[in-house]
Amino acid sequence: MSTISDNEVLEEVQIVYVDPVGKAHRIGAKEGETLMSIARLHSVDGVDGDCGGNGACGTCTVQLQPAVIAKLAPPTASELELLDFLGVSSKDHRLGCQVKLDKSHQGITIKVVSVS
């Protein structure tokens, strides 16, 4: 656990990334980090984040279970437009740079999508 103030404690959340070749990466990360930044920090293949997390390139596209997607804030119009351009469904795909980890994500599996 990390403490950022006297009143707020950030929990470590255990998640699993599955890279484009099927290799599983079990990672513990702090709440508030984006799925893109976590993957890059832990060298998960297939998550490049070429635009630096600005939601403009699609190189951090991930596939999530629909139950996880349902708990997230809805994607912005520009994220939906980029996902459509990439040819993936917003029903189970998001840009990793636009999704912040929270404790409700404990144990989720995140599939990295190759968009090249």
Side-chain angles (χ1 to χ4, degrees):
M1 277 190 276
S2 298
T3 304
I4 61 171
S5 74
D6 290 338
N7 299 327
E8 188 174 1
V9 176
L10 295 180
E11 298 288 330
E12 184 171 88
V13 179
Q14 299 296 316
I15 56 177
V16 178
Y17 282 88
V18 177
D19 69 24
V21 296
K23 181 179 177 188
H25 303 261
R26 286 169 179 70
I27 296 171
K30 292 183 179 82
E31 292 179 81
E33 295 183 63
T34 66
L35 297 182
M36 182 201 75
S37 64
I38 296 164
R40 291 186 66 195
L41 179 66
H42 294 277
S43 302
V44 176
D45 287 338
V47 179
D48 298 327
D50 292 346
C51 69
N54 292 309
C57 68
T59 62
C60 65
T61 302
V62 294
Q63 185 176 17
L64 300 167
Q65 297 99 342
V68 174
I69 293 275
K71 293 179 184 178
L72 299 175
T76 63
S78 60
E79 182 180 358
L80 287 171
E81 186 176 308
L82 183 53
L83 291 171
D84 185 55
F85 174 78
L86 295 170
V88 297
S89 170
S90 62
K91 291 180 182 176
D92 62 351
H93 291 80
R94 291 293 301 267
L95 299 179
C97 65
Q98 301 301 302
V99 178
K100 289 189 178 182
L101 192 68
D102 70 41
K103 61 185 174 187
S104 75
H105 298 135
Q106 188 70 257
I108 67 169
T109 298
I110 302 148
K111 185 176 179 188
V112 177
V113 177
S114 178
V115 293
S116 52

